[in-house]
Amino acid sequence: MKILNVVLSSLLHPHGITTWFKNYLKGLIDNRNENKIVFLTLTSISQKLDWYTEKHENFTHYCVKYNWENLHKVFTTEDFDIIHFHTSIFPSEDEYMDYHIFNFFKNEFKGRLITTIHSLQKMDMSFELYNPMDRIKEFWTDTDMFLQSIYKTDKLVNLSSDVVYISQNDMIWGKKIGTFNKNANNVVIYNGLPTRDGKVKPSYNNKKVGYAHRFVQRKNWYVLEEVCKLNSDLEFLFAGDCQGVTALLHKLYKDYENVRYLGKLNAGGIVDLNTEIDIMLCPASYEPFGLTAMESLFFGVAPIVCEGTGTHEVLGDGAFLFDGSNVDLSRAVKEFYEIPYDEIVDRIKKQQEQVSKKSESDLMIKKYFKLYEGK
């Protein structure tokens, strides 16, 4: 088979979708199967050339500037049996691009279109509900992105013969909000994580709690203030992209002596943060998978996650949970520090085992090839 994998993002982008795609790409390459594998990604702003090509023994990677001429050239370099879209996010630089892409799949492409929905796209837009009239332009721009996402996600899903959701929870939400094609082959394949040894900490009484996500509505970050207020004996270390809400964030926490904002961290900064903290707060109330929680877990940090999410599903029965509200998150943090050390370790090891069973990269790749082969 000839298989083209498409992600409309640069591999240099720090977003979780890109992290997942790099894990998938590496797993597919390491598999060394007999199929012809091609990858299409986008150049970053820092890359000057419009087109890069990497040819290897068992795969080819095209990295191109985002325009229809380049995309169509890659789409038609081979008579592909499968084109696999690894996200339904479309960059906004070209307002006609979605027309070209959808027209190609509807009228020109003769193979199978497979779409992996990497997050609940309709809920993952970056507009905030706080004080929208203080930043009218940004509010309406982001609202437009949200509405565009509804159209583009649904369109791509409805053109697909196979749709992959990254958790059972994600598929359930997809049905609720209409991102679901009842005529497609709908399956769940968990995100793949590189195999790693799980750590535990020698103590869980460092009294430091972390948050390392984007400060966007879907991450439910506004529950944090109450937790900081009700747990003045703890130190809270916040990290992440707060574009659009920087002033609000600093206004909310300027009088809290127990809060430190670390800014947007690179990979080394995330390691340092997980080394320092006991708990990673993952308050998103509709999280389909939760790379941050998984990453912290294998550093031996205890993630506290919202019950009923995809993250809860992947972590299993050993997860530390709250019900999505600010008061209950504070309760979960307080109760964590009352749990005996041995019980914390047992629950963290149980979660690490569950994550490894569900989302090892090798297992993910095997399931995708089973899908590609129509089994």
Side-chain angles (χ1 to χ4, degrees):
M1 287 188 296
K2 298 176 181 178
I3 305 169
L4 170 63
N5 294 268
V6 180
V7 61
L8 297 183
S9 176
S10 166
L11 293 182
L12 300 177
H13 197 282
H15 195 283
I17 289 174
T18 310
T19 302
W20 179 90
F21 184 72
K22 286 187 282 192
N23 292 339
Y24 171 86
L25 186 151
K26 183 178 185 304
L28 209 58
I29 293 169
D30 291 346
N31 186 269
R32 292 195 166 271
N33 59 85
E34 296 179 355
N35 298 290
K36 185 177 182 64
I37 305 296
V38 179
F39 298 100
L40 167 62
T41 64
L42 302 184
T43 57
S44 70
I45 296 174
S46 62
Q47 292 172 304
K48 295 180 179 179
L49 295 179
D50 286 354
W51 187 290
Y52 297 84
T53 302
E54 295 179 280
K55 288 186 177 287
H56 298 268
E57 180 184 351
N58 59 329
F59 75 95
T60 301
H61 176 205
Y62 297 108
C63 182
V64 305
K65 186 175 180 179
Y66 186 63
N67 61 56
W68 176 239
E69 182 181 358
N70 286 344
L71 264 60
H72 189 260
K73 185 176 179 180
V74 176
F75 287 170
T76 56
T77 52
E78 300 278 352
D79 188 14
F80 289 109
D81 300 291
I82 293 170
I83 295 182
H84 185 173
F85 252 86
H86 289 272
T87 175
S88 54
I89 289 178
F90 288 78
S92 57
E93 286 88 345
D94 185 342
E95 61 187 65
Y96 297 107
M97 184 65 79
D98 54 318
Y99 164 78
H100 291 302
I101 291 174
F102 297 144
N103 185 62
F104 172 80
F105 285 120
K106 187 174 182 179
N107 298 313
E108 189 173 345
F109 181 55
K110 303 303 180 186
R112 287 166 62 200
L113 171 63
I114 297 176
T115 300
T116 294
I117 302 297
H118 284 267
S119 64
L120 302 164
Q121 303 293 354
K122 290 183 179 181
M123 300 181 178
D124 197 21
M125 293 297 98
S126 59
F127 69 90
E128 291 289 334
L129 299 183
Y130 284 108
N131 302 324
M133 300 311 291
D134 288 348
R135 50 186 197 89
I136 295 174
K137 181 179 178 181
E138 291 87 348
F139 177 79
W140 288 113
T141 297
D142 291 340
T143 301
D144 179 63
M145 287 173 60
F146 171 73
L147 296 173
Q148 292 266 352
S149 177
I150 292 177
Y151 164 73
K152 294 174 183 178
T153 304
D154 290 353
K155 187 78 170 178
L156 195 63
V157 166
N158 285 321
L159 288 171
S160 299
S161 63
D162 306 79
V163 181
V164 180
Y165 296 86
I166 60 174
S167 65
Q168 293 289 343
N169 178 264
D170 199 22
M171 183 183 286
I172 290 169
W173 270 103
K175 292 178 180 178
K176 287 181 178 179
I177 62 178
T179 307
F180 189 80
N181 178 1
K182 64 181 181 180
N183 298 315
N185 174 37
N186 296 285
V187 298
V188 171
I189 300 178
Y190 292 107
N191 276 344
L193 297 170
T195 303
R196 62 178 76 177
D197 294 329
K199 300 177 182 178
V200 294
K201 291 179 176 285
S203 169
Y204 286 93
N205 200 34
N206 203 28
K207 301 292 185 180
K208 293 185 179 181
V209 179
Y211 172 91
H213 309 268
R214 289 170 294 144
F215 286 85
V216 293
Q217 183 187 347
R218 185 172 73 81
K219 298 300 182 183
N220 201 20
W221 67 271
Y222 34 86
V223 301
L224 300 174
E225 184 183 12
E226 191 77 7
V227 182
C228 299
K229 184 186 300 182
L230 297 177
N231 294 275
S232 58
D233 58 323
L234 304 178
E235 183 176 9
F236 292 85
L237 284 65
F238 293 166
D241 186 353
C242 63
Q243 184 178 6
V245 294
T246 305
L248 172 62
L249 185 67
H250 288 283
K251 179 181 178 182
L252 286 175
Y253 295 106
K254 65 183 179 66
D255 296 326
Y256 286 85
E257 295 182 357
N258 62 334
V259 175
R260 277 195 288 152
Y261 178 61
L262 306 177
K264 189 174 178 179
L265 300 180
N266 59 20
I270 292 294
V271 172
D272 291 341
L273 174 62
N274 279 297
T275 301
E276 195 169 352
I277 60 178
D278 305 312
I279 298 169
M280 177 63 79
L281 299 179
C282 304
S285 54
Y286 36 90
E287 184 69 74
F289 187 75
L291 283 171
T292 299
M294 313 302 166
E295 186 175 48
S296 293
L297 176 68
F298 281 91
F299 279 109
V301 174
I304 294 182
V305 306
C306 186
E307 60 188 8
T309 57
T311 311
H312 178 193
E313 177 185 328
V314 179
L315 294 178
D317 294 338
F320 301 95
L321 303 172
F322 81 111
D323 68 6
S325 68
N326 52 7
V327 174
D328 199 55
L329 181 57
S330 181
R331 185 272 313 162
V333 170
K334 285 181 180 294
E335 288 187 2
F336 175 84
Y337 285 104
E338 298 171 0
I339 300 173
Y341 173 79
D342 289 345
E343 182 181 338
I344 293 174
V345 169
D346 287 345
R347 289 174 67 174
I348 286 177
K349 287 182 176 179
K350 184 178 180 181
Q351 291 176 72
Q352 290 170 344
E353 183 181 355
Q354 288 297 311
V355 172
S356 295
K357 282 182 179 179
K358 288 188 177 82
S359 58
E360 281 189 354
S361 289
D362 288 347
L363 179 62
M364 173 188 66
I365 296 301
K366 288 177 183 177
K367 289 185 175 181
Y368 267 111
F369 271 107
K370 188 175 179 180
L371 177 65
Y372 292 156
E373 292 161 5
K375 297 179 180 178

